[in-house]
Amino acid sequence: MNPMDTVIWLVNFPAAHGYAMVFIAGFSILGLFAMSVRGATPGGALRSIREREGLPQGSSRPRGQVVGTIVRVVFRMLAFVMLASLVIGILSLVGVPVPRAYIYDNGTTATGTMDGDWVTFTTTEGVEYTLESNFFTSAVYPDRDVYFPSGEPVEVRYLPGHPQAFVIDSEQTPR
């Protein structure tokens, strides 16, 4: 499995669900950043009051400092992942093909059919996939504004190791 294919597959998720990712990331990012500050860990407020008042600590090494640091780092990493998802989602909504060009250039070709917002195709291994290509972030590349009627065959390009990352080739239609 190609590592770059895996990265594109991961980036394709927020790009394919751009509308939902903008709302999910937009509402969660502030809470994640708030949880990543020093005072958000349990016992942190009591510890800071004891330090400010000059009271002795419960032990020579305050408990919870390591756990609190790990919690802050995890929430900070999640916040940056959500921030990246927000940016990818916004770019996908305005028409920037973030992972689509890579999938188009490096994907395996298959013939599929459109059924509303759903694309059904069979991989070279014989596995059939039915995946969403919704109105807001359609998986069409290079011309994103092409209309494909329901039930008509379409040319699909997908990553061999990750068929969920796909594009509908707007330049070709099966004959």
Side-chain angles (χ1 to χ4, degrees), residues 25 27-37 72 74-83:
F27 286 115
S28 67
I29 199 163
L30 291 175
L32 290 170
F33 273 123
M35 288 300 293
S36 71
V37 297
R72 284 193 304 274
V74 167
F75 276 112
R76 198 164 291 150
M77 288 178 6
L78 285 173
F80 283 116
V81 166
M82 278 294 137
L83 181 64

Side-chain angles (χ1 to χ4, degrees), residues 7-159:
V7 169
I8 294 298
W9 173 63
L10 291 171
V11 169
N12 188 57
F13 184 81
H17 302 90
Y19 196 71
M21 287 311 289
V22 167
F23 285 101
I24 292 169
F27 286 115
S28 67
I29 199 163
L30 291 175
L32 290 170
F33 273 123
M35 288 300 293
S36 71
V37 297
R38 185 171 177 85
T41 59
L46 180 60
R47 198 169 21 257
S48 65
I49 291 171
R50 285 182 176 269
E51 289 172 3
R52 185 179 65 222
E53 298 296 325
L55 297 171
Q57 296 292 330
S59 65
S60 61
R61 182 173 166 258
R63 295 180 324 175
Q65 240 181 3
V66 174
V67 174
T69 303
I70 292 171
V71 167
R72 284 193 304 274
V73 168
V74 167
F75 276 112
R76 198 164 291 150
M77 288 178 6
L78 285 173
F80 283 116
V81 166
M82 278 294 137
L83 181 64
S85 296
L86 176 69
V87 170
I88 292 168
I90 290 172
L91 288 174
S92 180
L93 284 174
V94 297
V96 178
V98 179
R100 308 265 191 245
Y102 180 86
I103 298 169
Y104 182 81
D105 291 339
N106 299 303
T108 303
T109 305
T111 301
T113 56
M114 291 288 296
D115 184 18
D117 285 344
W118 298 90
V119 179
T120 302
F121 62 94
T122 304
T123 63
T124 55
E125 291 82 26
V127 180
E128 184 178 271
Y129 285 89
T130 301
L131 303 167
E132 185 178 22
S133 174
N134 65 27
F135 174 77
F136 294 107
T137 52
S138 61
V140 178
Y141 185 83
D143 184 11
R144 155 186 169 130
D145 297 326
V146 172
Y147 171 73
F148 294 104
S150 235
E152 293 294 318
V154 293
E155 195 74 25
V156 176
R157 294 182 187 223
Y158 65 92
L159 294 179

